[in-house]
Amino acid sequence: MIIVLKPNLSRRDESAVIREIRKLGYKPHIMRGVARTVIGAIGDELTHQSLESLPATFPNAVESVTPVQRRYKLVSREAHPANSTVDVRGQVIGGKKIQIMAGPCSVESEKQLLSTAVAVKSAGATILRGGAFKPRTSPYEFQGLGLKGLKLLDKARRETGLAIITELLSEDHAEMVAEFTDIIQIGARNAQNFQLLIAAARTGKPVLLKRGLSMRIEEWLLAGEYVLSNNNPNLMFCERGIRTFETFTRNTLDLSAVPIVKKESHCPVVIDPSQGAGRADLVAAMCKGAIAVGADALLIEVHPNPAEAWSDGAQQLSLDRFAKLMDELKPFIAAAGRE
Amino acid sequence: MIIVLKPNLSRRDESAVIREIRKLGYKPHIMRGVARTVIGAIGDELTHQSLESLPATFPNAVESVTPVQRRYKLVSREAHPANSTVDVRGQVIGGKKIQIMAGPCSVESEKQLLSTAVAVKSAGATILRGGAFKPRTSPYEFQGLGLKGLKLLDKARRETGLAIITELLSEDHAEMVAEFTDIIQIGARNAQNFQLLIAAARTGKPVLLKRGLSMRIEEWLLAGEYVLSNNNPNLMFCERGIRTFETFTRNTLDLSAVPIVKKESHCPVVIDPSQGAGRADLVAAMCKGAIAVGADALLIEVHPNPAEAWSDGAQQLSLDRFAKLMDELKPFIAAAGRE
Amino acid sequence: MIIVLKPNLSRRDESAVIREIRKLGYKPHIMRGVARTVIGAIGDELTHQSLESLPATFPNAVESVTPVQRRYKLVSREAHPANSTVDVRGQVIGGKKIQIMAGPCSVESEKQLLSTAVAVKSAGATILRGGAFKPRTSPYEFQGLGLKGLKLLDKARRETGLAIITELLSEDHAEMVAEFTDIIQIGARNAQNFQLLIAAARTGKPVLLKRGLSMRIEEWLLAGEYVLSNNNPNLMFCERGIRTFETFTRNTLDLSAVPIVKKESHCPVVIDPSQGAGRADLVAAMCKGAIAVGADALLIEVHPNPAEAWSDGAQQLSLDRFAKLMDELKPFIAAAGRE
Amino acid sequence: MIIVLKPNLSRRDESAVIREIRKLGYKPHIMRGVARTVIGAIGDELTHQSLESLPATFPNAVESVTPVQRRYKLVSREAHPANSTVDVRGQVIGGKKIQIMAGPCSVESEKQLLSTAVAVKSAGATILRGGAFKPRTSPYEFQGLGLKGLKLLDKARRETGLAIITELLSEDHAEMVAEFTDIIQIGARNAQNFQLLIAAARTGKPVLLKRGLSMRIEEWLLAGEYVLSNNNPNLMFCERGIRTFETFTRNTLDLSAVPIVKKESHCPVVIDPSQGAGRADLVAAMCKGAIAVGADALLIEVHPNPAEAWSDGAQQLSLDRFAKLMDELKPFIAAAGRE
């Protein structure tokens, strides 16, 4: 920790701060600068008591306290210099091939799901997405088909061979959802629901962790740390748009998160351009951008009839539009040196 | 719903949109304006299919769709014109008296908790706060004493007569936490963890719902709707700072949320200035402001020795500072016509 | 400056960084910690070359660079421990009396301005606000009466004795505006238009500097530094709402800015609740809150007929509502120990 | 305008609102819905008085007012369905070729500028950027070489044939800057300094308008309207990152702005990845993303020795890194069907 003292401090006040630093288990190292004195408090920040309360305790003596260590360990590139990969029914996420996860926002019916599954597979997707449990802003909106939806996903998996990704909303459903899915998705609203993260991790299934609406990247990486530290090495980060002041789009898709997370962490990074912009007409451009900045996979909402979707119709692509998009992406995938 | 069409649309394109509106169960009402045509789609927006996907379905014909109805019902002032109040062990929140909820961020030990409880009671607080389950950004930080912490809160309750408020982190703990607390707190990170909200509501205990870090007020009211629609009428909203670009404070306490929520809803509104600013030196000023804008209660972090607190030391007040603050607040409480 | 190095760095890489620090004029001071080495670079940060490019220059060796000194000098409390005050025609801003600046958003006509001036004076305001040059988001909106508006302000000043505050939009108008006003207002959109700040400072008139829509407090203080360093000691900071994700209000009024700026700086702090919330129905509550948190003055939009105002009608108070508000504020002013 | 009334309103209250709508020049059109009545106010919103103050005037009767028309005209795709292009010394921006604008943040010396100019030209750039007047957060930072810097840009232009882009900071410099530059840049801090926009437009030189730090796209387009409505058709929009809560990057580069502005407007769109991320190590990825989402040009900071740059060293590329980047971009430019 770096402790910056106020200017023109008496030696007596300085000594009181130094005593407290020692008391909390750090070895103080004093540097007298031009304008003020700085103390380096040497000790392991991850195991020692935090010093962050020093400015509150010594309001007239301590100006600021800054940590030195990164707070995340297992997700960090330092801990695992090579890219890690996640294998889902033989499809590798984080390898050379860009994986496409596609399907409806909500599972609505067998016909809707299977027709979508067949279409997205034929267009090149390898993983089928579909919500059986839906987190909805209002209790009066469609909350998902639940177990019935999970069984439809399983049926689609058997019929098409696609792997499945679906969202987990409740700790109590962890085992049930794990039974029917290949990847557990943690949604943006639950990105810091640590109990849910632990429950997901413990199923042993790969976890795709969406970024919370106003989550700093450091917090996102630390939330991922809850998965890895619960003995589940199969973690993917998924950027899905952050909340800003802009109103043209529902969210602002932060593509810079891709190179940053790839640099800080070894885990694969997925982009969800459907949630990210919240507008179907932007999905194609943002998919191209995602591939160009280095994303490992895309998560795209596709529906046989977006106008009549039970949720988020504004951002879902039709089957035709999706197939066309898959063609449009090819040159960008090649340009990125991917498959 | 109000559907704005693109300018210079052919009658044929217009008819296609109108047919779809009818198909989804609304009665269209056409207004031809100077620059473009607007369609009023008449029907109950809370029960009908949403029209929000029209711009995606008719990208060349529909410019925008705007809902007309408020999406929240039970929390709304329209549904319940008078202020509602929450009674906790004889203390009324939302009435004339401003209630003070105070105590440590985390329950750490019997001595720490009881000395705080005695001190805050003697200074005028009526409700004791204290975290037994702590949501921490990093898995390596102190996660709370759990059941042991709940039992200490219970002991403090018996010894001082203070009511208890503590946070619920997991659906699985709902019954256990309800056994030991008088108010269940839902934290900012779980403000849209709807399963947790439902579990909290079903315990029958009053629920204090903190605003999520980037939650719009409409979303917050809708999250509250999950409590009321699960047959629990005892809901309080608690503003605790929103996430902005500012870095001097950990969060930006949005005091304008108080008059807005009081206008839109009948539920009591609580302010948490400790989390709200994240700095002990701002707590006093923000408490005064909170009372002046019309808050019904304050939730304040107090610790016998903030420098050695196991969490959030930077924002906790010492016992002396808290007692002094209670005195400073008196003229503002009187100015607000409260007790 | 504090330079944090990457872990497990070779001595050779470390030496290269140290050489560069010396070359840029700083004296390096090395601290070897548990996880990594930290270098304190001793030297005056305000006159030396910045070290902020070190991580870019040594991407494999330098993790971060953090400045130690505050970047603002003349506006800081350290430079001037006592509160500074601004005297405008005998009215002191920053003293014991809370000053009320009130008037229409735009000057529209002699009748509108004079009737407002007489009414706000009689209700207790001491300073008349009114825009003669209006920064409007669209070129098709009313841009102000210009010189004619300034002359009307001057007439109102002569007839009522109220001091005048009006906005300066263009360097080229600085002398003209200074001739007719007592306080020059710099609007939020121009808060980092440094040329305008310099031009305003050089007129010698007191300057009221609004906070930009997404300005960090540090940046705001530094913008104020442009005024003081151009030999104009009469500076006031005015918080007028920041831009956030919330849509119920036009802006989020950040009342915590008051105690922060009062702590960091000696300059008076003014609150504009009209712009701050953008809704007339919130103005009263936010005025009370502003006084409670320690504001020195309020800037309130008042119009004889808000429904027919040429700009920002939604946030202006009627003359009656304003007079009633002035009464409502009295107990809060007393509670704050002000007049 | 669409006026939504409160539920259960008396006919008398309704009539008062309707009379006011008529008085302000609109023709009211009444729709009685399930929950509430909606009034369509028919009339040209760009020339009539705004109705936005109705909720303030009739707080118990009017719930909301929503405009129907787009507020921008000349910049809109509706006004000019084809892409517009800007020709700068024979280089066309907005055509098939992706133009690269590169150079130092600040002009520092003849040697620094000319060596950069030669290098970026040889790597494929066609336009040289370089700041002669620098807007700096603090008055104590380097403010640019001024006229001397302009003359060096002119010299570089003559020696290399590159076109020049440089920032205009002051209305008073408009003619002088126009004499030495081919494109006038309006910086983010001045994006709503409308006097400066008008002054820039009137020079007749092409204008590159950066997006303000917290500017909504609608506001940005309206700021562009100030250029076009002052008889200058040569306008480019430049996204350079918006301000968010994230702290890993200085700004969040909003690549979704590209497809949105290309859809709403006919003007070329430029991306500045250097400012956008504020970190040199992210520039390459964000350049690739920018091309993939459809940008027409890139504005990249390049410096012979970033470590010793007088401003923004952390985000400037070295000459070598820039040349390498130009190679890396080629496959993405081809994938985008550009040159």
Side-chain angles (χ1 to χ4, degrees):
Chain A
M1 297 268 179
I2 300 297
I3 296 98
V4 177
L5 301 183
K6 301 250 177 199
N8 310 319
L9 207 61
S10 73
R11 284 290 161 117
R12 202 167 145 272
D13 286 344
E14 197 180 290
S15 299
V17 176
I18 291 169
R19 267 197 308 276
E20 184 71 23
I21 291 170
R22 281 218 179 84
K23 189 171 164 197
L24 294 170
Y26 291 84
K27 185 162 166 288
H29 184 115
I30 292 138
M31 281 186 296
R32 305 206 181 281
V34 172
R36 54 196 76 198
T37 293
V38 171
I39 305 175
I42 295 173
D44 187 344
E45 298 174 6
L46 296 184
T47 54
H48 279 64
Q49 165 92 12
S50 169
L51 297 177
E52 64 170 338
S53 61
L54 285 180
T57 316
F58 300 98
N60 300 316
V62 177
E63 194 159 292
S64 67
V65 172
T66 311
V68 165
Q69 287 177 240
R70 295 276 156 102
R71 293 164 72 198
Y72 37 92
K73 295 194 290 195
L74 302 174
V75 301
S76 76
R77 197 48 95 173
E78 286 175 15
H80 187 296
N83 285 337
S84 61
T85 57
V86 175
D87 188 312
V88 182
R89 298 192 159 252
Q91 299 293 341
V92 176
I93 303 161
K96 197 159 189 207
K97 184 174 176 187
I98 288 182
Q99 301 288 351
I100 308 293
M101 309 174 177
C105 179
S106 299
V107 177
E108 297 168 10
S109 71
E110 181 168 338
K111 190 177 158 207
Q112 173 242 23
L113 186 65
L114 287 184
S115 63
T116 306
V118 168
V120 301
K121 184 181 181 186
S122 118
T126 50
I127 300 169
L128 178 67
R129 60 152 290 156
F133 296 94
K134 298 298 302 172
R136 301 306 299 274
T137 303
S138 159
Y140 310 119
E141 294 167 335
F142 174 60
Q143 311 274 322
L145 294 182
L147 179 58
K148 192 180 151 199
L150 293 177
K151 287 182 176 165
L152 290 175
L153 287 166
D154 187 43
K155 184 162 189 188
R157 173 165 61 180
R158 278 182 282 112
E159 299 209 357
T160 61
L162 290 167
I164 299 295
I165 175 170
T166 199
E167 181 166 355
L168 175 66
L169 268 195
S170 164
E171 295 164 65
D172 294 345
H173 301 157
E175 278 182 47
M176 176 175 67
V177 168
E179 194 185 327
F180 294 101
T181 197
D182 300 299
I183 304 174
I184 290 180
Q185 175 181 316
I186 300 293
R189 290 181 187 78
N190 282 312
Q192 288 189 306
N193 176 350
F194 304 120
Q195 267 53 36
L196 190 67
L197 283 165
I198 294 169
R202 289 187 178 159
T203 66
K205 291 280 175 182
V207 175
L208 178 139
L209 174 58
K210 290 203 168 184
R211 183 179 182 184
L213 269 77
S214 62
M215 216 172 186
R216 295 205 179 106
I217 289 172
E218 186 193 25
E219 294 166 333
W220 192 20
L221 294 170
L222 281 165
E225 196 82 15
Y226 273 92
V227 175
L228 266 62
S229 67
N230 279 281
N231 298 316
N232 186 331
N234 291 309
L235 173 67
M236 293 160 272
F237 290 100
C238 178
E239 158 69 27
R240 46 75 71 205
I242 56 174
R243 180 152 278 184
T244 67
F245 54 81
E246 182 54 63
T247 50
F248 248 96
T249 45
R250 233 165 96 168
N251 300 294
T252 297
L253 188 66
D254 178 11
L255 288 182
S256 71
V258 177
I260 294 172
V261 174
K262 298 295 284 183
K263 187 173 184 181
E264 295 294 318
S265 171
H266 52 87
C267 299
V269 181
V270 181
I271 287 286
D272 176 347
S274 305
Q275 287 282 346
R279 286 170 48 165
D281 62 337
L282 299 179
V283 168
M286 299 320 285
C287 283
K288 293 170 192 169
I291 289 166
V293 298
D296 294 304
L298 301 174
L299 183 62
I300 304 174
E301 296 190 8
V302 180
H303 193 283
N305 185 355
E308 299 181 9
W310 297 0
S311 60
D312 284 348
Q315 69 201 29
Q316 305 200 50
L317 298 186
S318 66
L319 304 182
D320 281 357
R321 184 70 193 83
F322 176 72
K324 188 160 162 282
L325 170 62
M326 292 294 281
D327 275 342
E328 292 169 18
L329 294 183
K330 281 174 190 160
F332 293 94
I333 292 172
R338 309 290 284 257
E339 282 162 11
Chain B
M1 296 270 177
I2 301 297
I3 296 98
V4 178
L5 301 183
K6 300 251 174 195
N8 311 319
L9 207 60
S10 74
R11 284 290 160 115
R12 198 163 149 276
D13 285 345
E14 197 180 291
S15 298
V17 176
I18 291 168
R19 268 197 308 278
E20 184 72 22
I21 291 171
R22 281 217 178 84
K23 188 170 164 198
L24 295 170
Y26 291 83
K27 185 162 166 288
H29 184 115
I30 292 139
M31 281 186 297
R32 304 206 180 281
V34 172
R36 53 197 77 197
T37 293
V38 171
I39 304 175
I42 295 173
D44 188 344
E45 298 174 6
L46 295 185
T47 56
H48 280 63
Q49 165 93 13
S50 169
L51 297 177
E52 65 169 337
S53 60
L54 285 180
T57 317
F58 301 98
N60 301 315
V62 176
E63 191 158 296
S64 67
V65 173
T66 313
V68 164
Q69 286 176 241
R70 295 276 155 103
R71 293 164 72 197
Y72 39 91
K73 293 195 290 197
L74 303 174
V75 302
S76 76
R77 198 44 99 174
E78 286 176 14
H80 187 295
N83 285 338
S84 62
T85 57
V86 175
D87 187 314
V88 182
R89 298 192 159 249
Q91 298 294 340
V92 176
I93 303 161
K96 196 159 190 207
K97 184 173 175 187
I98 289 182
Q99 301 288 352
I100 308 294
M101 309 174 178
C105 178
S106 300
V107 178
E108 296 168 11
S109 70
E110 180 168 338
K111 191 177 158 204
Q112 172 242 23
L113 186 66
L114 288 183
S115 64
T116 306
V118 167
V120 301
K121 184 181 181 186
S122 120
T126 51
I127 300 168
L128 177 66
R129 62 153 288 157
F133 296 94
K134 298 298 301 171
R136 301 307 298 274
T137 302
S138 160
Y140 309 118
E141 293 167 336
F142 173 59
Q143 311 273 322
L145 294 182
L147 178 58
K148 191 182 153 198
L150 293 177
K151 287 181 176 166
L152 290 175
L153 287 166
D154 188 43
K155 183 162 190 190
R157 173 164 62 180
R158 280 182 280 112
E159 299 209 355
T160 61
L162 290 168
I164 299 296
I165 175 169
T166 198
E167 180 165 355
L168 176 67
L169 268 197
S170 164
E171 296 165 65
D172 294 345
H173 300 156
E175 279 182 47
M176 176 175 68
V177 169
E179 194 184 327
F180 294 101
T181 196
D182 300 297
I183 304 174
I184 290 179
Q185 174 181 317
I186 301 293
R189 290 180 188 79
N190 281 311
Q192 288 189 306
N193 176 350
F194 304 121
Q195 267 54 38
L196 190 67
L197 282 165
I198 293 169
R202 289 186 178 159
T203 65
K205 290 282 176 182
V207 175
L208 179 139
L209 174 58
K210 290 204 168 182
R211 183 179 183 183
L213 270 76
S214 64
M215 219 175 183
R216 295 206 178 106
I217 289 172
E218 187 194 25
E219 295 166 332
W220 192 20
L221 294 170
L222 281 165
E225 197 81 15
Y226 273 91
V227 175
L228 267 63
S229 68
N230 278 283
N231 298 315
N232 186 332
N234 291 310
L235 173 66
M236 294 160 271
F237 289 101
C238 178
E239 159 70 25
R240 46 76 71 208
I242 56 174
R243 180 152 279 184
T244 68
F245 55 81
E246 182 56 61
T247 49
F248 248 96
T249 46
R250 234 167 93 169
N251 300 292
T252 297
L253 188 67
D254 178 11
L255 288 182
S256 72
V258 177
I260 293 172
V261 175
K262 298 294 285 182
K263 188 173 183 182
E264 295 294 316
S265 171
H266 51 86
C267 299
V269 181
V270 181
I271 288 287
D272 176 347
S274 306
Q275 287 283 345
R279 286 171 47 164
D281 62 338
L282 298 179
V283 168
M286 300 319 286
C287 283
K288 294 169 190 170
I291 289 167
V293 298
D296 294 305
L298 301 175
L299 183 62
I300 304 174
E301 296 190 7
V302 181
H303 192 284
N305 185 355
E308 298 180 10
W310 296 0
S311 60
D312 284 349
Q315 68 201 29
Q316 305 200 50
L317 299 185
S318 67
L319 304 182
D320 281 357
R321 186 69 194 85
F322 175 72
K324 188 158 161 282
L325 170 61
M326 292 295 279
D327 275 342
E328 291 169 17
L329 294 183
K330 280 175 190 161
F332 293 95
I333 292 173
R338 307 291 283 259
E339 281 161 12
Chain C
M1 296 270 177
I2 300 297
I3 295 99
V4 177
L5 300 184
K6 302 251 175 198
N8 310 320
L9 206 60
S10 73
R11 285 289 161 116
R12 202 168 144 271
D13 285 344
E14 198 180 291
S15 299
V17 176
I18 291 169
R19 267 197 308 277
E20 184 72 23
I21 290 170
R22 281 218 179 84
K23 187 171 165 198
L24 295 169
Y26 292 83
K27 185 163 165 288
H29 184 116
I30 292 138
M31 282 185 297
R32 305 207 179 280
V34 172
R36 53 197 77 197
T37 293
V38 172
I39 305 174
I42 295 173
D44 187 344
E45 298 175 5
L46 296 183
T47 54
H48 280 63
Q49 166 92 12
S50 169
L51 297 177
E52 64 170 336
S53 60
L54 285 179
T57 316
F58 300 98
N60 300 317
V62 177
E63 192 158 295
S64 67
V65 173
T66 312
V68 165
Q69 286 177 240
R70 295 275 156 102
R71 293 164 72 198
Y72 37 92
K73 294 193 291 196
L74 302 174
V75 302
S76 76
R77 196 49 96 175
E78 286 175 15
H80 187 295
N83 285 337
S84 62
T85 57
V86 175
D87 187 314
V88 182
R89 296 192 160 252
Q91 298 294 341
V92 175
I93 303 161
K96 198 162 188 204
K97 185 174 174 187
I98 288 183
Q99 301 289 353
I100 309 294
M101 309 174 178
C105 178
S106 299
V107 177
E108 296 169 9
S109 70
E110 181 168 339
K111 190 176 158 205
Q112 172 243 21
L113 186 66
L114 287 184
S115 64
T116 306
V118 167
V120 301
K121 185 182 180 186
S122 119
T126 51
I127 300 168
L128 178 67
R129 61 152 290 155
F133 296 94
K134 300 297 302 171
R136 301 306 299 274
T137 303
S138 160
Y140 309 118
E141 293 167 336
F142 173 59
Q143 310 274 322
L145 293 182
L147 179 57
K148 192 180 152 199
L150 293 177
K151 287 182 177 165
L152 290 175
L153 287 166
D154 187 44
K155 184 164 188 187
R157 173 165 62 180
R158 278 181 282 112
E159 299 209 355
T160 61
L162 290 167
I164 299 295
I165 175 170
T166 199
E167 181 165 355
L168 175 67
L169 268 195
S170 164
E171 295 164 66
D172 294 346
H173 300 158
E175 278 182 47
M176 177 175 67
V177 168
E179 194 184 328
F180 294 102
T181 196
D182 300 299
I183 304 174
I184 291 180
Q185 175 180 316
I186 301 293
R189 291 180 188 79
N190 281 312
Q192 288 188 306
N193 176 351
F194 304 120
Q195 267 53 37
L196 190 67
L197 282 165
I198 294 169
R202 290 187 177 158
T203 65
K205 292 281 175 181
V207 174
L208 179 139
L209 174 59
K210 290 203 166 182
R211 183 178 182 184
L213 270 77
S214 63
M215 216 173 185
R216 295 205 179 107
I217 289 172
E218 187 193 25
E219 294 166 332
W220 192 19
L221 295 171
L222 281 165
E225 196 82 15
Y226 272 92
V227 175
L228 266 62
S229 67
N230 279 282
N231 298 315
N232 185 332
N234 291 309
L235 173 67
M236 294 160 272
F237 289 100
C238 178
E239 158 69 27
R240 47 75 72 205
I242 57 174
R243 179 152 279 184
T244 68
F245 55 80
E246 182 55 63
T247 51
F248 248 95
T249 45
R250 234 166 92 169
N251 300 293
T252 296
L253 188 66
D254 178 11
L255 288 182
S256 72
V258 178
I260 294 172
V261 174
K262 298 294 284 182
K263 187 172 184 184
E264 294 294 317
S265 172
H266 52 87
C267 299
V269 181
V270 182
I271 288 286
D272 176 347
S274 306
Q275 288 282 345
R279 287 170 46 164
D281 62 337
L282 298 179
V283 168
M286 300 319 286
C287 283
K288 294 170 191 169
I291 289 167
V293 298
D296 294 304
L298 301 174
L299 183 62
I300 305 173
E301 296 190 7
V302 180
H303 193 283
N305 184 355
E308 299 180 10
W310 296 1
S311 61
D312 283 349
Q315 69 201 30
Q316 306 200 50
L317 299 185
S318 67
L319 304 182
D320 281 358
R321 185 71 194 83
F322 175 72
K324 187 158 162 283
L325 169 62
M326 292 295 281
D327 275 343
E328 292 169 18
L329 294 183
K330 281 175 190 159
F332 293 94
I333 292 173
R338 308 290 285 258
E339 281 162 12
Chain D
M1 295 269 177
I2 300 297
I3 295 100
V4 179
L5 300 183
K6 300 250 175 197
N8 311 319
L9 206 62
S10 74
R11 284 290 160 116
R12 197 164 149 276
D13 284 346
E14 197 180 290
S15 299
V17 176
I18 292 169
R19 267 197 308 279
E20 184 71 23
I21 291 170
R22 281 218 179 84
K23 189 170 164 200
L24 294 170
Y26 290 84
K27 186 163 167 287
H29 184 117
I30 292 138
M31 282 186 297
R32 304 205 181 282
V34 171
R36 53 197 76 197
T37 293
V38 171
I39 304 175
I42 295 173
D44 187 343
E45 298 174 6
L46 295 185
T47 56
H48 280 63
Q49 165 92 12
S50 169
L51 297 177
E52 65 169 338
S53 60
L54 285 179
T57 316
F58 300 98
N60 300 316
V62 176
E63 193 158 294
S64 67
V65 172
T66 313
V68 165
Q69 286 176 242
R70 295 274 156 103
R71 293 164 73 198
Y72 39 90
K73 294 195 291 197
L74 302 175
V75 301
S76 76
R77 200 41 101 176
E78 287 175 15
H80 187 295
N83 286 336
S84 62
T85 56
V86 175
D87 187 314
V88 182
R89 297 193 160 250
Q91 298 294 340
V92 176
I93 303 161
K96 197 158 190 209
K97 184 174 175 188
I98 289 182
Q99 301 288 352
I100 308 294
M101 308 173 178
C105 178
S106 301
V107 177
E108 296 168 10
S109 70
E110 181 169 338
K111 191 178 158 205
Q112 171 242 24
L113 186 66
L114 287 184
S115 64
T116 306
V118 167
V120 301
K121 184 181 180 187
S122 119
T126 51
I127 300 168
L128 178 66
R129 62 152 290 156
F133 295 94
K134 299 297 304 172
R136 301 307 298 275
T137 302
S138 160
Y140 309 118
E141 294 167 335
F142 173 59
Q143 310 274 323
L145 293 182
L147 178 58
K148 192 181 151 198
L150 293 176
K151 286 182 177 166
L152 290 175
L153 288 165
D154 188 42
K155 184 162 189 189
R157 173 165 61 181
R158 278 180 282 114
E159 298 209 355
T160 61
L162 290 167
I164 300 294
I165 175 169
T166 199
E167 181 165 356
L168 176 67
L169 268 197
S170 163
E171 296 165 65
D172 294 346
H173 301 157
E175 278 181 48
M176 177 175 67
V177 169
E179 194 185 327
F180 293 102
T181 196
D182 300 298
I183 303 175
I184 290 179
Q185 175 181 318
I186 301 293
R189 291 181 187 78
N190 282 311
Q192 288 189 306
N193 176 351
F194 304 121
Q195 267 54 37
L196 190 68
L197 282 165
I198 293 170
R202 289 189 178 157
T203 65
K205 290 282 174 181
V207 174
L208 179 140
L209 174 58
K210 290 204 167 182
R211 183 179 183 184
L213 270 77
S214 64
M215 217 174 185
R216 294 204 179 106
I217 289 172
E218 186 194 25
E219 295 166 332
W220 192 20
L221 294 170
L222 281 165
E225 197 82 15
Y226 273 91
V227 174
L228 267 62
S229 68
N230 279 282
N231 299 314
N232 186 332
N234 291 310
L235 173 67
M236 293 159 271
F237 290 101
C238 178
E239 159 70 25
R240 45 77 71 207
I242 56 174
R243 180 153 278 185
T244 68
F245 55 81
E246 182 54 62
T247 49
F248 248 96
T249 46
R250 233 166 94 168
N251 301 293
T252 297
L253 188 66
D254 178 11
L255 287 182
S256 72
V258 177
I260 294 172
V261 174
K262 297 295 285 183
K263 188 173 184 183
E264 295 294 317
S265 172
H266 52 87
C267 299
V269 181
V270 182
I271 288 287
D272 176 347
S274 306
Q275 287 282 345
R279 286 171 47 164
D281 62 338
L282 298 178
V283 168
M286 301 319 286
C287 283
K288 294 170 191 169
I291 289 166
V293 298
D296 295 304
L298 301 175
L299 183 63
I300 304 173
E301 296 189 8
V302 180
H303 192 285
N305 184 357
E308 299 181 9
W310 296 1
S311 60
D312 284 349
Q315 68 201 31
Q316 306 200 50
L317 299 185
S318 68
L319 303 183
D320 281 356
R321 185 68 194 85
F322 175 72
K324 188 160 162 280
L325 169 61
M326 292 295 280
D327 275 342
E328 291 169 18
L329 294 182
K330 280 175 190 161
F332 293 95
I333 292 173
R338 307 290 285 258
E339 282 161 12

